[in-house]
Amino acid sequence: MATSTVFTGVSLFKSKNSTKLITSTRFSDSKQQLSPNLVKCCSKTTTATTEEATGRLVTVKNGNDSLEICRVLNGMWQTSGGWGRIDRDAAVEAMLRYADAGLSTFDMADHCTLNFFRRRGSSLSNFTLNSVKWEAKTGCSPIRKLTPNQIQCVITEDKRRSIVKNGTDSLEICRVVNGMWQTSGGWGRIDRDNAVDAMLRYADAGLTTFDMADIYGPAEDLYGIFINRVRRERPPEYLEKVRGLTKWVPPPVKMTSGYVRENIDVSRKRMDVPSLDMLQFHWWDYSNPGYLDALKNLTDLKEEGKIKTVALTNFDTERLQIILENGIPVVSNQVQHSIVDMRPQQKMAELCQLTGVKLI
């Protein structure tokens, strides 16, 4: 079955001698027509160097403005916090190893600073500072107080759905989740009706689990509109398979019961549900232990029926272990995991295998 991305705006099509920019959706907030050759992304094919000839480098250009960059970028978003303390020297050594291997383009932001790179005295002439990823070595004390079979992930017969479970808390979700991060802004105005129509098409195709956050722009509101259309236009058994997983990303302030309750009620109202299927909790600053207070209050709300399952997003192994040892019934941890970022396969995978916590 062919699938498409819900909110994708552009894609790159690579031919033998060039890379063409292909628009895959129409942006509703712009009526300006671009000349096909106004903006280009071209592979180097006519120069003499080996790197250029093999397509490792690419030139992005617009008129007289051009920049040659590596086709594979090192993203530095992980240095922004939430994955533990960054060891400065180890980070820079990792950056140098990537550059020595030919991956000499680095992508960052003003809130993801690595000014110490310049202090190393290394020549920057061959670097495009525009995320390098490294594995932070953190001490993980021996596992204790955990029952190996307390948490389970059970695969159903059709393999399309998975059950995340901790004790009596259980939620069946689609193994492929529809992410709604693109609605958070930066890709043009979101057409509400088109977005909800797209969500219905995905659900009709069997992809009935949607992942969002309180900070993803109108994502929770779109889900609320979507779920009401499901209630009106689809049979009751259809509604039983739809899942809305949201995240709460609060500032690291004092996590009182009233503060936590107020924020969860906002998400429930926006998504128009009496109980959140899954609340995935995020915390910015591990030096502030308030995340445990927040999770205990979230567990209380779960007992009241306002949340069905409590989960985490982007927590590291050390903190996940602490959370489990404090009796928080976490069913899953949503982390960055791909062929270019294998960190979860280190100590995180070992802990999750022992406890049964699902990695999303």
Side-chain angles (χ1 to χ4, degrees):
M1 177 180 65
T3 61
S4 60
T5 304
V6 182
F7 300 116
T8 297
V10 297
S11 60
L12 290 175
F13 173 78
K14 183 178 178 183
S15 64
K16 182 176 181 181
N17 296 320
S18 66
T19 304
K20 299 179 181 179
L21 192 67
I22 307 296
T23 59
S24 59
T25 59
R26 177 171 55 84
F27 288 100
S28 57
D29 65 336
S30 176
K31 296 182 180 179
Q32 179 184 6
Q33 297 297 315
L34 294 178
S35 168
N37 295 319
L38 182 61
V39 185
K40 298 179 180 178
C41 177
C42 1
S43 296
K44 304 278 290 188
T45 56
T46 58
T47 51
T49 67
T50 302
E51 281 193 329
E52 292 167 341
T54 56
R56 288 189 179 184
L57 300 176
V58 63
T59 300
V60 290
K61 60 193 280 187
N62 186 338
N64 294 326
D65 300 335
S66 68
L67 183 68
E68 185 178 79
I69 62 175
C70 231
R71 185 173 290 278
V72 177
L73 305 183
N74 300 305
M76 301 179 68
W77 178 62
Q78 290 88 344
T79 66
S80 61
W83 292 269
R85 186 178 64 86
I86 300 297
D87 184 284
R88 185 184 70 176
D89 294 334
V92 174
E93 293 298 333
M95 294 172 72
L96 286 170
R97 288 196 300 272
Y98 272 65
D100 289 342
L103 300 172
S104 54
T105 302
F106 296 83
D107 180 78
M108 67 204 73
D110 58 345
H111 55 279
C112 180
T113 56
L114 277 180
N115 291 327
F116 54 81
F117 184 75
R118 293 181 172 85
R119 303 190 193 119
R120 295 281 296 188
S122 303
S123 171
L124 299 180
S125 59
N126 294 325
F127 290 84
T128 305
L129 290 170
N130 190 4
S131 180
V132 70
K133 301 176 177 69
W134 60 87
E135 295 174 4
K137 296 181 178 179
T138 58
C140 184
S141 56
I143 309 300
R144 55 191 183 276
K145 302 180 185 175
L146 298 177
T147 304
N149 295 321
Q150 181 181 7
I151 308 170
Q152 300 176 4
C153 177
V154 182
I155 307 302
T156 56
E157 286 186 4
D158 62 6
K159 306 294 184 181
R160 290 186 178 185
R161 304 182 71 81
S162 176
I163 298 175
V164 290
K165 186 176 181 180
N166 186 334
T168 59
D169 298 337
S170 174
L171 187 70
E172 184 180 82
I173 62 174
C174 214
R175 288 180 61 80
V176 176
V177 178
N178 301 307
M180 298 180 66
W181 178 63
Q182 289 90 342
T183 68
S184 60
W187 293 270
R189 185 178 66 86
I190 300 298
D191 185 285
R192 185 187 68 180
D193 294 334
N194 287 343
V196 174
D197 285 342
M199 295 172 71
L200 282 167
R201 289 196 299 272
Y202 270 63
D204 288 342
L207 301 171
T208 55
T209 301
F210 296 84
D211 179 76
M212 66 209 81
D214 61 336
I215 61 171
Y216 289 2
E220 291 184 335
D221 299 298
L222 290 172
Y223 183 85
I225 299 169
F226 158 76
I227 202 68
N228 273 298
R229 282 193 57 183
V230 169
R231 289 166 181 154
R232 294 193 308 267
E233 303 172 13
R234 300 295 189 272
E237 59 270 19
Y238 186 108
L239 179 62
E240 294 175 1
K241 294 184 177 180
V242 175
R243 298 288 183 267
L245 320 181
T246 194
K247 305 180 189 74
W248 182 38
V249 189
V253 298
K254 188 173 180 62
M255 293 288 116
T256 64
S257 175
Y259 181 79
V260 174
R261 181 183 299 273
E262 178 183 358
N263 280 272
I264 297 308
D265 283 345
V266 170
S267 288
R268 290 171 55 236
K269 182 177 180 180
R270 293 179 68 190
M271 296 173 67
D272 201 5
V273 292
S275 179
L276 301 176
D277 290 325
M278 178 185 287
L279 191 285
Q280 301 168 99
F281 177 67
H282 181 277
W283 192 248
W284 295 101
D285 183 10
Y286 288 148
S287 65
N288 181 342
Y291 64 90
L292 284 174
D293 294 327
L295 285 165
K296 289 174 181 177
N297 287 320
L298 289 172
T299 302
D300 290 340
L301 292 177
K302 180 186 70 67
E303 296 301 321
E304 293 179 19
K306 293 190 174 185
I307 300 171
K308 294 179 182 177
T309 54
V310 175
L312 306 173
T313 177
N314 288 328
F315 270 79
D316 65 5
T317 307
E318 182 180 348
R319 255 57 60 163
L320 173 60
Q321 181 178 341
I322 292 172
I323 289 166
L324 293 172
E325 290 171 352
N326 274 269
I328 307 298
V330 171
V331 297
S332 63
N333 186 19
Q334 184 177 145
V335 297
Q336 181 162 307
H337 185 206
S338 69
I339 59 173
V340 295
D341 188 351
M342 303 293 233
R343 289 173 301 166
Q345 293 190 16
Q346 307 284 328
K347 294 181 179 179
M348 176 69 72
E350 181 182 356
L351 177 59
C352 288
Q353 186 174 25
L354 176 67
T355 61
V357 171
K358 173 68 176 177
L359 284 177
I360 298 180

